[in-house]
Amino acid sequence: LAELRKKNSSAREASSEIAKLVGRLQGLKRKVQTWHQEGNDDLERTNLRIQYLRSHELGDAASVADRDGGRIDRLVADHLARHGLLHSAKQLVQETEMKELVDIQMFEHIQPLVDALLLGDLNPALKWCIANRPKLKKNKSTLEFELRLQAFVELVRSDAIEAAITYARNHLGPAAGDAHKLSALKKYMAVLAFGKDTRVQPYQFYLETQRRFDLAQRLKAET
């Protein structure tokens, strides 16, 4: 009887593990399907842009003027979107029929991350960095490290000193092996000694909310 119970228990455990594995595989399948669709969308947009450029390579003065006007419209729409004026950018894109020539969807995806960052919430931007580490590593980007530094600063600004120390140990300590990052890390750690109300530079600068804006611009540039 004991042996039978043991077998039943083992069978239940095996069934549970199989169910977990199936769940993980289904999750992976959904991610792959999403990536595949995003890849197809990117490819379609690229092809449309190539066709647009080829169609404007040659032409009379009128078509050249039209081409230049279209380029200006795209630049304006891109500028508006990058500065968070998505409604205006969308309206311009619709009026000029440039839907496939301006990445409005990309800006719509990144804007909530930017909005959170400007309010001092680094988590959405950090999640994006973690999901895009291969791309950032390939581009030798330090964005995630700088966001981690800012997350540390936000804790200091809110007087959560113990939490700031713990955060630094867990998320910034590993960067000490990089000489360039170590230099920046030492400077930021000194914020703990000077405190959030310091007027001593560069520590006052590290604590200013302007740093959020600077990082938001970096995030937009690297997406």
Side-chain angles (χ1 to χ4, degrees), residues 168-221:
R169 286 173 178 166
N170 293 338
H171 299 289
L172 294 172
D178 183 309
H180 176 71
K181 291 180 179 178
L182 178 60
S183 176
L185 190 55
K186 287 179 178 179
K187 293 176 182 178
Y188 270 83
M189 291 304 102
V191 170
L192 288 170
F194 284 91
K196 68 174 186 177
D197 298 320
T198 183
R199 293 293 180 266
V200 179
Q201 295 294 356
Y203 313 110
Q204 181 185 13
F205 170 71
Y206 297 155
L207 290 158
E208 291 176 350
T209 55
Q210 172 65 29
R211 285 289 295 149
R212 299 174 183 174
F213 178 80
D214 296 339
L215 288 170
Q217 296 303 106
R218 279 283 309 279
L219 179 60
K220 290 178 183 179

Side-chain angles (χ1 to χ4, degrees), residues 15-215:
S15 178
S16 176
E17 289 300 318
I18 291 173
K20 290 178 182 178
L21 178 60
V22 169
R24 288 197 292 269
L25 290 173
Q26 289 175 337
L28 179 60
K29 179 182 177 181
R30 287 192 293 271
K31 286 183 178 179
V32 170
Q33 289 174 335
T34 299
W35 294 335
H36 181 69
Q37 184 59 49
E38 289 176 350
N40 286 339
D41 293 342
D42 289 340
L43 181 60
E44 183 179 355
R45 280 194 293 270
T46 300
N47 286 332
L48 288 170
R49 290 173 186 178
I50 292 173
Q51 292 173 17
Y52 177 84
L53 292 172
R54 285 178 176 172
S55 68
H56 289 79
E57 283 180 350
L58 301 174
D60 53 23
S63 63
V64 171
D66 179 66
R67 177 194 63 197
D68 292 341
R71 182 183 297 120
I72 291 172
D73 287 336
R74 291 200 310 277
L75 289 173
V76 170
D78 185 88
H79 177 80
L80 291 171
R82 285 186 183 279
H83 286 76
L85 303 173
L86 291 175
H87 179 74
S88 298
K90 279 180 172 181
Q91 189 172 11
L92 178 58
V93 166
Q94 291 172 355
E95 290 176 355
T96 54
E97 298 182 352
M98 295 187 301
K99 182 179 179 181
E100 302 301 335
L101 301 177
V102 180
D103 287 329
I104 293 294
Q105 288 184 337
M106 179 193 73
F107 292 114
E108 286 180 325
H109 172 72
I110 209 70
Q111 193 59 44
L113 281 63
V114 170
D115 291 341
L117 197 162
L118 292 175
L119 292 173
D121 181 3
L122 283 292
N123 288 328
L126 283 168
K127 287 180 181 179
W128 181 89
C129 285
I130 293 170
N132 290 274
R133 270 179 182 165
K135 171 186 172 182
L136 294 174
K137 184 177 180 180
K138 181 179 179 181
N139 295 335
K140 297 181 179 180
S141 172
T142 59
L143 179 60
E144 182 178 350
F145 174 67
E146 293 181 43
L147 289 171
R148 295 285 183 192
L149 288 174
Q150 186 62 28
F152 164 78
V153 166
E154 296 295 342
L155 290 171
V156 175
R157 290 179 77 249
S158 63
D159 281 328
I161 304 303
E162 290 187 9
I165 293 172
T166 300
Y167 187 90
R169 286 173 178 166
N170 293 338
H171 299 289
L172 294 172
D178 183 309
H180 176 71
K181 291 180 179 178
L182 178 60
S183 176
L185 190 55
K186 287 179 178 179
K187 293 176 182 178
Y188 270 83
M189 291 304 102
V191 170
L192 288 170
F194 284 91
K196 68 174 186 177
D197 298 320
T198 183
R199 293 293 180 266
V200 179
Q201 295 294 356
Y203 313 110
Q204 181 185 13
F205 170 71
Y206 297 155
L207 290 158
E208 291 176 350
T209 55
Q210 172 65 29
R211 285 289 295 149
R212 299 174 183 174
F213 178 80
D214 296 339
L215 288 170

